[in-house]
């Protein structure tokens, strides 16, 4: 399979984005759900609907696309899970010596594809990429038509479905589609594996697969593969040239496989701390020196090893600390553009301090993996599934998903392990022996793992990956072991919960994280989970949302998020986060009952030291200086006795619970020097709205998107953490294209009017296709409104058809 991981350069190889001007409609179908049904029925339906529907039935859409916008909670069961028809017409003419591949990065769930009335094929499953050679189906006239019948209905015969699933599936062509154009002779696969380090240089194994045309095979054409390794700034590091052995015969294999070792001089290792990347430009040359194929790929040099149950990255021990991540977003489901994918990686790395992420429970968007490469986040990615294993046909599809996952993503240095087991499924030795075999054959450079939720599971992978919901850390039964989930549904917590629960949620995370750091027999652990996510009605808290994250689904942090952020080294960021709103509810009032057993009268109880509130502060400072309502409380040290293994244990400030009201001032110290100051006031009634945007400059491509969020604050700038109020957003075109009044200019997506929860609300701004300047306004009765300016700019993109 060919993908754009071997990116085009200005030469023979090209990628054309098929992003714009798709026609879309939902169709009625009695066609069976089963993948075993005859594709001819789907072909007939494509023909009937595409030829008989008039213009009023079609919408014009862009990819990535969700069939419907969905509410942020209480999502109707069948939203985005219908049968859909997509049509794309464009002008393109292939040259005689070119091969043209149609590539889908993700299409949910059964995709039947037709090009110019030629049926191309069917793909099963919505989480893995697939491609077809469509050269022979192209029209010589240059006018091309692609038709996709997409059955996004529940598919019990196709992974991950067949049983209950604790996450919501969203339909549509929700990832990119493009044409990849190569010469008939082309590089099909190029893999770089770091074998070790020699005096600061990288010893690398290079594996290449070259597709040869019939002419080259018959004429015994002498070809050469030229590799140019460059730094990210474009400066050439070194060049390698290798002959391609061609055995002239009409029976010769069309694929030539090559493997050799090279030493890359002065190569810097890739790691989460320093994610060094290099570009490898490649050229396939004939004997006359003419270029047959060219392009580039991005690589990172790093070694992985296991020693006494620990992971060694580039020879140095590293403890994996991270999160699980679902790919869903409010309103748009799975159809998130590259900016939102990258923003999630940025949040995981910088706001949560993670060095690792598990893509539960399926491979995710290539843009997400690209950002993990660039920003430095190790990845464990796995085949689609949740607890259920179907019959042999179901298992055959799961194996195909494994092949597609590895072939699509094995060039990423961030990925260190392949998940070859259906999440939390029962032992199935024959099935999982085969999946391990497939993964090791396709990519022997990476480990295999298989996530289970019972300790006595059969261990046939390289790393024992285990979901531990004991509210602690159970003794290991296998080595090496990685805890792939903890906490989550054992203590679901909403942003609107009272402070006692939010604080306890954070302390549960701190306690388990402390135990993970204590355990030298663990490779690491990933919390369940980073972000709240939509789920089926069987799970969640009645809104079809699982509130298992340390952030909510809009990526607003709960107190628990600060536990992880505070473990970052101070040289990366000074962190000082208070897990309190400084209100009467900040105290655990169960202490009041205990104090009544000691004292006779209520007034004595309320004034006693026994009735105190523990205010937790998560920080990576050495010490804190505390002042409450003008009274100095002196210097506090972190709670090393309670959390001895955390790099930066939390601080505890004891305050009189009955009078927990006023102003708390904190100064954080490093080496006796004040490095950060914070002032916290008890929230007063909100007086105004404050509007924010994650990004204020977007690409004018019709799909780029950023989060817009508002908070209600008081006169001191403190958020009102329990305010529920209707807010309304509006979009003004300040300077834009004449199409500014339509979605071509720009668009707000989300609940509008919306409701503040925990004093916050969010929606998304989606850019239009033309450069312009915009102003977003927000207002609510009784509060001063706010506005923020955005702009969209033309950017160089892949050529579009």
């Amino acid at each position: 399979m060919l993908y754009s991981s071997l990116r085009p350069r200005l030469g023979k190889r090209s990628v054309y984005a098929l992003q714009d001007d798709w026609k879309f409609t939902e169709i009625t179908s009695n066609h069976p759900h089963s993948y075993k049904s005859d594709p001819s029925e789907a072909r007939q339906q494509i023909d009937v609907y595409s030829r008989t529907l008039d213009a009023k039935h079609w919408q014009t859409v862009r990819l990535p696309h969700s069939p419907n916008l969905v509410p942020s909670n209480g999502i109707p069961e069948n939203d985005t899970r219908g049968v859909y028809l997509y049509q794309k017409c464009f002008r393109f003419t292939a040259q005689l010596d070119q091969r043209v591949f149609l590539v889908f990065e993700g299409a949910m769930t059964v995709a039947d594809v037709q090009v110019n009335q030629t049926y191309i094929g069917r793909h099963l499953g919505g989480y893995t990429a697939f491609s077809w050679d469509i050269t022979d189906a192209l029209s010589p006239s240059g006018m091309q038509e692609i038709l996709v019948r997409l059955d996004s209905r529940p598919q019990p015969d196709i992974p991950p479905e067949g049983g209950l699933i604790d996450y919501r599936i969203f339909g549509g062509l929700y990832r990119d589609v493009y044409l990849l154009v190569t010469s008939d002779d082309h590089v099909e696969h190029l893999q770089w594996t770091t074998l070790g380090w020699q005096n600061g240089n990288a010893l690398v194994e290079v594996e290449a697969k070259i597709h040869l045309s019939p002419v080259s095979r018959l004429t015994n054409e002498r070809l050469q593969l030229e590799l140019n390794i460059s730094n990210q700034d474009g400066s050439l590091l070194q060049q390698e040239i290798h002959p391609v052995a061609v055995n002239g015969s009409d029976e010769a294999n069309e694929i030539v496989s090559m493997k050799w070792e090279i030493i890359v001089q002065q190569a810097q290792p890739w790691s989460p701390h320093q994610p060094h990347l290099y570009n490898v430009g490649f050229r396939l040359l004939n004997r006359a020196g003419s270029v047959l194929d060219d392009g580039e790929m991005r690589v990172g040099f790093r070694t992985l090893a296991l020693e006494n149950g620990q992971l060694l990255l580039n020879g140095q021990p590293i403890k994996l600390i991270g999160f699980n991540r679902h790919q869903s977003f409010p309103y748009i489901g799975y159809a998130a553009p590259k900016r939102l994918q990258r923003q999630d990686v940025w949040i995981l790395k910088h706001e949560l301090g993670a060095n690792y992420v598990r893509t539960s429970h399926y491979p995710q968007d290539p843009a997400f993996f690209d950002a993990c490469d660039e920003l430095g986040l190790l990845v464990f990615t796995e085949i689609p599934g949740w607890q259920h294993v179907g019959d042999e046909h179901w298992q055959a599809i799961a194996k195909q998903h494994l092949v597609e996952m590895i072939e699509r993503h094995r060039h990423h240095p961030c990925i260190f392990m392949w998940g070859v087991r259906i999440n939390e499924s029962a032992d199935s030795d024959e099935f999982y022996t085969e999946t391990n075999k497939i993964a090791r054959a396709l990519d022997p450079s990476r480990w295999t793992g298989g996530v289970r939720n019972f300790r006595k599971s059969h261990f046939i992978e390289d790393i024992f990956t285990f979901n531990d919901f004991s509210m602690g850390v159970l003794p290991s039964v296998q080595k090496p072991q990685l805890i792939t989930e903890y906490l989550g549904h054992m203590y679901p917590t909403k942003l609107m919960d009272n402070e006692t629960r939010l604080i306890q949620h954070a302390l549960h995370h701190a306690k388990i994280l402390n135990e993970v750091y204590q355990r030298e027999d663990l490779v690491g652990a990933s919390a369940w989970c980073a972000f709240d996510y939509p789920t089926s009605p069987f799970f969640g808290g009645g809104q079809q949302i699982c509130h298992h994250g340390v952030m909510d689904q809009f990526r607003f942090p709960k107190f628990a998020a600060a536990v992880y952020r505070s473990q970052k080294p101070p040289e990366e960021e000074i962190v000082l986060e208070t897990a309190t709103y400084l209100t009467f509810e900040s105290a655990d009032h169960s202490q009041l009952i205990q104090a009544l057993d000691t004292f006779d009268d209520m007034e004595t109880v309320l004034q006693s030291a026994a009735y105190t509130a523990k205010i937790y502060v998560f920080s990576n400072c050495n010490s804190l200086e505390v002042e409450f309502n003008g009274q100095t409380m002196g210097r506090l040290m972190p709670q090393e006795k309670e959390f001895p293994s955390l790099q930066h244990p939390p601080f505890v400030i004891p305050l009189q619970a009955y009078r927990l009201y006023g102003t708390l001032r904190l100064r954080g110290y490093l080496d006796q020097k004040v490095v950060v100051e914070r002032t916290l006031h008890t929230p007063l009634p909100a007086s105004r709205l404050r509007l924010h945007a994650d990004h204020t400059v977007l690409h004018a491509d019709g799909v780029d998107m950023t989060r817009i969020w508002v908070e209600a604050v008081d006169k001191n700038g403190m958020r009102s953490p329990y305010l529920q109020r209707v807010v309304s957003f509006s979009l003004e075109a300040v300077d834009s294209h004449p199409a500014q009044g339509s979605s071509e200019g720009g668009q707000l997506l989300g609940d509008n009017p919306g409701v503040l929860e925990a004093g916050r609300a969010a929606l998304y701004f989606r850019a239009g296709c033309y450069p312009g300047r915009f102003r977003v306004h927000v207002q609510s009765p009784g509060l001063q409104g706010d506005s923020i300016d955005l702009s969209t700019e033309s950017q160089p993109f892949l050529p579009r058809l």
Side-chain angles (χ1 to χ4, degrees):
M1 295 183 182
L2 280 178
Y3 300 107
S4 64
S5 52
L6 298 180
R7 299 178 296 180
R9 305 178 97 176
L10 295 177
K12 302 291 288 187
R13 179 177 290 226
S14 301
V15 171
Y16 298 95
L18 301 178
Q19 187 177 45
D20 304 322
D21 300 324
W22 285 83
K23 301 298 183 184
F24 164 79
T25 189
E26 183 169 3
I27 60 179
T28 303
S29 179
N30 294 319
H31 183 77
H33 288 45
S34 175
Y35 73 92
K36 303 170 186 176
S37 60
D38 187 345
S40 64
E41 297 178 48
R43 295 171 60 182
Q44 183 180 16
Q45 193 172 49
I46 290 172
D47 289 335
V48 169
Y49 274 93
S50 64
R51 308 308 167 199
T52 59
L53 289 177
D54 57 37
K56 69 180 180 181
H57 292 97
W58 294 93
Q59 302 175 45
T60 300
V61 301
R62 290 187 179 85
L63 307 186
H65 177 251
S66 177
N68 299 300
L69 292 179
V70 297
S72 58
N73 59 71
I75 302 168
E77 186 69 17
N78 293 321
D79 269 19
T80 82
R81 300 218 68 185
V83 182
Y84 310 109
L85 194 63
Y86 288 84
Q87 180 195 53
K88 169 73 174 175
C89 297
F90 58 98
R91 183 176 292 276
F92 175 80
T93 303
Q95 304 301 313
L96 288 177
D97 64 341
Q98 288 181 328
R99 307 304 299 175
V100 180
F101 298 86
L102 177 60
V103 182
F104 292 79
E105 293 289 4
M108 192 68 70
T109 299
V110 178
D112 288 284
V113 179
Q114 178 174 294
V115 176
N116 298 325
Q117 301 184 42
T118 299
Y119 182 75
I120 301 299
R122 169 176 287 180
H123 182 265
L124 307 174
Y127 293 102
T128 53
F130 55 98
S131 67
W132 285 296
D133 185 338
I134 63 168
T135 309
D136 295 339
L138 294 176
S139 169
S141 72
M143 290 302 301
Q144 317 297 343
E145 179 193 54
I146 298 172
L147 283 163
V148 182
R149 180 193 182 274
L150 196 62
D151 192 342
S152 295
R153 293 175 296 178
Q155 306 285 344
D157 294 322
I158 301 174
E161 299 188 87
L164 286 171
I165 298 178
D166 173 29
Y167 54 92
R168 184 60 65 88
I169 294 174
F170 297 97
L173 286 180
Y174 72 95
R175 291 182 187 162
D176 290 341
V177 179
Y178 53 89
L179 291 186
L180 177 57
V181 182
T182 72
S183 300
D184 208 356
D185 292 296
H186 58 263
V187 179
E188 186 168 281
H189 170 61
L190 194 58
Q191 184 72 20
W192 293 65
T193 303
T194 310
L195 302 177
W197 300 94
Q198 297 180 356
N199 301 319
N201 304 317
L203 175 62
V204 176
E205 179 183 81
V206 182
E207 181 182 0
K209 292 183 179 179
I210 312 297
H211 180 277
L212 300 176
S213 67
V215 172
S216 292
R217 297 201 306 272
L218 288 169
T219 60
N220 197 22
E221 174 67 271
R222 282 182 285 176
L223 306 180
Q224 286 187 325
L225 180 61
E226 177 186 287
L227 303 176
N228 295 287
I229 307 168
S230 302
N231 293 300
Q232 289 291 284
D233 62 8
S235 58
L236 182 65
L237 202 60
Q238 71 186 68
Q239 184 181 79
E240 300 282 334
I241 298 177
H242 293 270
V244 179
V246 180
N247 297 316
S249 168
D250 58 356
E251 299 296 328
N253 194 325
E254 65 179 8
I255 302 295
V256 172
S257 295
M258 308 161 56
K259 188 181 291 187
W260 68 96
E261 294 179 6
I262 64 172
I263 292 178
V264 181
Q265 304 289 334
Q266 302 174 358
Q268 297 295 311
W270 184 97
S271 71
H273 180 59
Q274 291 184 314
H276 293 289
L277 294 169
Y278 297 87
N279 289 330
V280 177
F282 63 88
R283 299 200 306 166
L284 186 63
L285 308 171
N286 65 13
R287 72 181 72 195
S290 298
V291 178
L292 304 176
D293 185 24
D294 59 357
E296 69 178 17
M297 68 181 301
R298 193 170 57 182
V299 302
F301 304 114
R302 54 108 181 97
T303 58
L304 295 166
L306 291 167
E307 187 176 289
N308 297 323
Q310 290 188 312
L311 190 155
L312 302 181
L313 177 64
N314 302 314
Q316 300 299 315
I318 181 173
K319 180 82 78 173
L320 299 180
I321 302 296
F323 298 88
N324 290 264
R325 184 251 190 186
H326 273 299
Q327 67 177 13
S328 54
F329 289 82
Y331 312 127
I332 57 174
Y334 285 168
K338 292 179 175 61
R339 185 182 300 274
L340 294 186
Q341 303 287 350
R342 183 182 180 88
Q343 181 70 7
D344 266 8
V345 178
W346 192 94
I347 290 170
L348 288 161
K349 180 72 185 288
H350 296 292
E351 292 194 25
L352 295 176
N355 62 15
Y356 143 70
V357 62
R358 174 187 173 214
T359 64
S360 48
H361 301 286
Y362 39 78
Q364 298 181 6
D365 194 287
F368 182 82
F369 293 119
D370 286 341
C372 289
D373 285 342
E374 295 163 12
L375 299 178
L377 204 61
L378 285 160
V379 177
F380 168 33
T381 191
E382 61 190 345
I383 53 177
W386 202 82
Q387 294 189 345
H388 169 77
V389 174
D391 60 18
E392 61 178 333
H393 299 288
W394 191 100
Q395 294 177 31
I397 299 171
K399 293 174 191 176
Q400 180 60 30
H401 289 167
L402 177 60
V403 171
E404 291 169 342
M405 175 180 72
I406 294 175
E407 289 187 340
R408 178 63 183 94
H409 299 299
R410 60 188 166 189
H411 66 285
H412 289 287
C414 65
I415 295 175
F416 71 96
M417 184 163 61
W418 302 116
V420 300
R421 182 186 179 109
I422 302 300
N423 174 70
E424 295 185 345
S425 60
D427 285 333
S428 181
D429 288 1
E430 183 178 353
F431 177 33
Y432 292 136
T433 297
E434 183 63 22
T435 58
N436 274 274
K437 181 179 177 181
I438 291 170
R440 289 163 181 158
L442 287 172
D443 184 12
S445 71
R446 288 180 174 89
W447 300 309
T448 61
V451 175
R452 69 269 289 156
N453 57 357
F454 56 106
R455 299 172 69 213
K456 294 186 178 181
S457 169
H458 300 164
F459 181 29
I460 55 178
E461 300 85 27
D462 298 315
I463 295 180
F464 191 80
T465 42
F466 172 60
N467 292 345
D468 187 344
F469 295 115
S470 65
M471 299 298 283
V473 181
L474 292 170
S476 296
V477 292
Q478 301 286 355
K479 289 177 66 176
Q481 179 168 307
L482 172 67
I483 295 176
T484 36
E485 297 180 28
Y486 61 85
L487 200 53
H489 63 280
M490 306 305 293
Y491 204 84
T493 303
K494 305 178 182 68
L495 269 178
M496 284 292 290
D497 284 339
N498 64 47
E499 291 179 57
T500 300
R501 189 170 186 89
L502 286 164
I503 293 166
Q504 192 58 49
H505 181 234
L507 292 177
H508 281 313
H509 276 277
K511 172 179 175 289
I512 295 173
L513 187 60
N514 179 72
E515 291 189 45
V516 169
Y517 275 116
Q518 284 178 351
R519 294 283 295 277
E520 295 184 357
D521 58 323
L522 291 177
V523 170
S526 44
W528 187 264
C529 56
F531 314 120
D532 293 349
Y533 57 94
T535 188
S536 67
F538 185 82
F539 300 97
Q543 302 171 302
Q544 291 83 59
I545 300 294
C546 277
H547 299 280
H548 300 170
V550 298
M551 290 182 161
D552 79 349
Q553 61 172 334
F554 289 101
R555 282 54 174 170
F556 292 138
K558 305 170 190 177
F559 289 164
V563 173
Y564 295 91
R565 189 172 192 168
S566 66
Q567 302 310 302
K568 297 170 66 175
E571 56 269 23
E572 184 176 331
E573 180 191 16
I574 302 296
V575 179
L576 180 58
E577 299 282 350
T578 52
T580 181
Y581 299 134
L582 209 60
T583 68
F584 187 68
E585 289 194 1
S586 298
D588 181 358
H589 296 286
S590 63
Q591 298 174 76
L592 178 61
I593 299 172
Q594 298 171 10
L596 283 170
D597 293 335
T598 305
F599 300 96
D600 293 331
D601 63 291
M602 179 65 74
E603 184 62 29
T604 303
V605 169
L606 296 178
Q607 300 296 333
S608 72
Y611 187 33
T612 59
K614 289 184 177 181
I615 302 301
Y616 284 86
V617 179
F618 298 104
S619 175
N620 53 9
C621 293
N622 298 144
S623 62
L624 288 184
E625 188 178 69
V626 181
E627 178 186 301
F628 182 56
N629 290 335
Q631 297 294 315
T632 298
M633 301 180 65
R635 192 81 68 87
L636 293 182
M637 305 304 289
Q639 296 289 298
E640 294 181 351
K641 183 177 181 180
E642 187 176 355
F643 301 96
S645 296
L646 289 184
Q647 287 288 104
H648 305 285
F651 296 83
V652 176
I653 305 172
L655 296 179
Q656 217 285 329
Y658 186 53
R659 302 189 182 281
L660 196 55
Y661 177 91
T663 300
L664 181 66
R665 302 185 189 278
L666 303 174
R667 296 182 183 87
Y669 284 78
L670 284 176
D671 299 325
Q672 304 305 312
K673 178 182 178 182
V674 176
V675 292
V676 62
E677 297 187 44
R678 293 282 188 273
T679 299
L680 184 69
H681 303 280
T682 299
L684 301 174
S687 58
R688 63 189 176 94
L689 298 173
R690 192 160 57 193
L691 196 58
H692 309 265
D694 289 341
H695 299 90
T696 56
V697 180
L698 282 78
H699 301 323
D701 64 352
V703 296
D704 198 11
M705 196 180 300
T706 192
R707 180 184 63 161
I708 306 292
W709 58 283
V710 63
E711 56 182 348
V713 299
D714 64 13
K715 67 177 184 179
N716 294 317
M718 295 289 103
R719 174 169 57 91
S720 298
Y722 298 115
L723 185 67
Q724 291 180 292
R725 186 78 64 86
V726 173
V727 292
S728 298
F729 299 86
S730 60
L731 180 65
E732 174 191 3
V734 178
D735 177 18
S736 186
H737 188 273
Q740 62 191 25
S742 71
S743 61
E744 294 298 296
Q747 190 178 17
L748 295 177
L749 301 179
D751 295 329
N752 190 19
V755 178
L756 295 172
E757 290 190 0
R760 290 187 177 118
L763 43 59
Y764 294 96
F765 171 75
R766 182 161 63 194
C769 292
Y770 306 100
R773 292 189 297 116
F774 303 87
R775 187 163 293 141
V776 180
H777 304 274
V778 64
Q779 58 185 6
S780 181
L783 299 177
Q784 179 184 334
D786 197 10
S787 62
I788 193 168
D789 289 347
L790 308 171
S791 64
T792 59
E793 299 180 351
S794 296
Q795 297 287 333
F797 299 109
L798 292 175
R800 290 166 147 190
L801 296 174

